[in-house]
Amino acid sequence: QKTEQLRQRLEEELAATRQEIATLAAERAHTLQHLREKERPWNVLQQRLRLRQLKPGREKVRDEVEEALEAELAELSDVVDELHQTVRRLDEQLRTLEAHQRDLEADLRDKAAAHKIDAQCLHLTGVCQPPVHETVRTYRNY
């Protein structure tokens, strides 16, 4: 009976862990999509700044257009960096959860094996566990 209760709790925790893994995997995919969406604008900004560098010497002046392009590129780079950090954080969380899932699955296999042995014992003897002898411990206060 106790093994069955433990197995049930493990299955519930395993189901919750699997759901959390699925949620994080979806969040990771969504974050990667955002990263892909930022690639084109970032490349366009880079190209515009490179083209401006091709201007003839006297025409190469630092103006508000160039400053705006640089500011936009810096802001977009910050967003991309943050998205990369989010992906790394999600990857770490996924690795942790997947390890926890493997532990739970191993524990469930052990519980299933223990339950099978308990059932065999019960079938053979009518007693599932050997008698438990209580021991009395005394503690002295000093």
Side-chain angles (χ1 to χ4, degrees), residues 65-77:
V65 172
E66 187 169 346
E67 290 171 2
L69 287 172
E70 289 171 347
E72 191 174 346
L73 182 63
E75 185 178 322
L76 189 56
S77 293

Side-chain angles (χ1 to χ4, degrees), residues 63-113:
D63 58 8
E64 51 192 52
V65 172
E66 187 169 346
E67 290 171 2
L69 287 172
E70 289 171 347
E72 191 174 346
L73 182 63
E75 185 178 322
L76 189 56
S77 293
D78 288 344
V79 169
V80 167
D81 288 345
E82 190 176 313
L83 289 170
H84 279 293
Q85 288 175 2
T86 299
V87 170
R88 284 191 294 274
R89 179 183 52 81
L90 290 169
D91 285 344
E92 181 60 34
Q93 289 176 334
L94 282 167
R95 279 190 295 276
T96 300
L97 282 171
E98 288 165 349
H100 183 59
Q101 178 182 343
R102 286 189 299 275
D103 290 344
L104 289 171
E105 289 168 343
D107 203 3
L108 268 172
R109 284 190 299 275
D110 291 346
K111 296 289 183 275

Side-chain angles (χ1 to χ4, degrees), residues 37-47 50 72-74 76-78 80:
E37 291 169 0
K38 303 298 180 215
E39 283 178 15
R40 181 157 165 52
W42 193 83
N43 289 335
V44 168
L45 285 169
Q46 287 279 45
Q47 182 64 24
R50 275 193 297 272
E72 191 174 346
L73 182 63
L76 189 56
S77 293
D78 288 344
V80 167

